[in-house]
Amino acid sequence: MPPRVNFIFISCILVFLVLLYFLVSNLNGNTIPRPKISYRHLVHSIETDRLVDLVSSTLSYRLSPGNICHDESFDHLGIILISSYVTHDDLRSAHRRALPQEDLKSLGLVRFFLLAEIPVQETTITQLAIEGENKRFGDIIQGNFIDAYRNLTYKHIMGLKWATLNCSRTNFIVKMDDDTVYDAYRLRNLLQEFRLTHDDGELLLSGYVQNNQKPIRMKPSKWFVSHREFRDAIYPPYLSGWLYVTNQRTAQDLVIASQETPFFWIDDIFVTGILAKKLSIPLDRRNALYSANGDFLECCIREAAKHNFKCPYMAGPNGGDSELILRFTTGVAKCRKCKERKRSDPKLNETCVGVYKPPSGHRGAPVVKELHL
């Protein structure tokens, strides 16, 4: 066989063997190791003046914090982004009183609130008041779109984009709602765990995983989703908007993917469900750290004071009580030396007695209550 023909024959055999290896690997459920790459090159792919499908007008910020993310005085472990409706100054105040920015910095964290422009129907707050709030605390990021329930996806992506472009030194990004109660000390420990176990270039989405959730097709519901908006019968698995953790690399991937994905208005489903599925990002399930009932968080406070039991939960909704974040943070701070429950100890959901208090309507959600005439 001539040398040239022999070379071509051997090359074909090698290509066949490589293809056979990949085929057998996939059939066995094995995956090829993802190469470790630096995420910082992705910043150049983010369109700074675009927000999902808002292309008719460029994205700009009515308010944007200063250079707090360049401060050398803290660890830059994580940035907390709290989605807040413009009139929820009481909730923002409760978060600030529970954990001032300086206290968060001592934990390696820094916090910002995500707002948008005041809707015309809101008369209880003015732009001047929001600017005064930001002048005092310097922690508001306000986009130039209307603050509305169906605009939450814009606010969500705006926060991730701002964090990746302005706070790239922080290892992790924590996204949460303003009516969420959380244990900042336990959150810090979780982020430190991630820093030890996850590489910068590794994809990360961690929180309360929601599975097999169906779109609500009843028009009277505030959650009504038409078939035109979402065709499938079941949403992809996604993380609850209460609180989830991601990193810089993943946030940048999500922002870039949002620029080329059809808009969907339920933000946690769009970002941590639709986009995560598109990017094949696995969801890290930490459901045991969350309470769906604010009453359990109240019981945590009482049990810490009476029985020195640590709270099993890191986060959960406030049940309509804006001051719960303050009481909970004070309670867990006093319980640093509290004991863990033993197998023989009663569980919190067996000893906690209370009536579930549904959260009041906000961000466009209707409030239904009895009217006394």
Side-chain angles (χ1 to χ4, degrees), residues 224-244:
F224 168 71
V225 173
S226 67
H227 286 88
R228 183 178 180 181
E229 292 173 315
F230 189 85
R231 293 182 300 174
D232 296 344
I234 297 178
Y235 291 126
Y238 65 95
L239 299 179
S240 168
W242 291 333
L243 183 154
Y244 76 83

Side-chain angles (χ1 to χ4, degrees), residues 291-303 306-307 309 311-313 324 341 346-357:
S291 168
N293 194 333
D295 278 335
F296 284 171
L297 301 180
E298 287 279 13
C299 288
C300 273
I301 300 170
R302 292 196 293 269
E303 292 213 339
K306 293 182 179 180
H307 307 295
F309 277 140
C311 184
Y313 304 118
L324 181 56
R341 286 178 183 270
K347 296 180 180 179
L348 181 64
N349 58 4
E350 296 173 351
T351 60
C352 182
V353 179
V355 179
Y356 176 65
K357 300 182 290 294

Side-chain angles (χ1 to χ4, degrees), residues 149-196:
Y149 199 74
R150 284 182 171 255
N151 283 349
L152 282 176
T153 292
Y154 296 126
K155 188 185 292 185
H156 195 145
I157 295 295
M158 177 190 73
L160 295 182
K161 175 177 289 191
W162 191 92
T164 58
L165 294 176
N166 296 277
C167 283
S168 59
R169 291 183 59 187
T170 54
N171 298 112
F172 301 100
I173 299 171
V174 180
K175 168 66 177 61
M176 59 184 288
D177 290 336
D178 61 3
D179 58 358
T180 297
V181 175
Y182 70 107
D183 181 347
Y185 305 95
R186 196 162 185 177
L187 175 62
R188 185 267 311 272
N189 294 340
L190 180 64
L191 298 184
Q192 288 178 330
E193 173 192 327
F194 286 147
R195 186 153 65 177
L196 292 174

Side-chain angles (χ1 to χ4, degrees), residues 130-151:
I130 293 177
E131 291 173 0
E133 183 180 343
N134 185 60
K135 185 176 181 181
R136 179 178 179 185
F137 299 103
D139 58 3
I140 292 179
I141 304 168
Q142 185 182 27
N144 65 334
F145 52 92
I146 297 300
D147 211 336
Y149 199 74
R150 284 182 171 255
N151 283 349

Side-chain angles (χ1 to χ4, degrees), residues 37 61 65 69 86 110 126 129 156 168 178 184 196-197 205 228 235 238 257 261 268 289-290 301 328 338 343 359:
I37 60 176
Y61 300 100
C69 284
V86 283
V110 63
T126 64
H156 195 145
S168 59
D178 61 3
L196 292 174
T197 58
L205 277 175
R228 183 178 180 181
Y235 291 126
Y238 65 95
T261 304
D268 45 4
L289 295 177
Y290 295 78
I301 300 170
F328 184 77
C338 286
R343 188 170 293 180

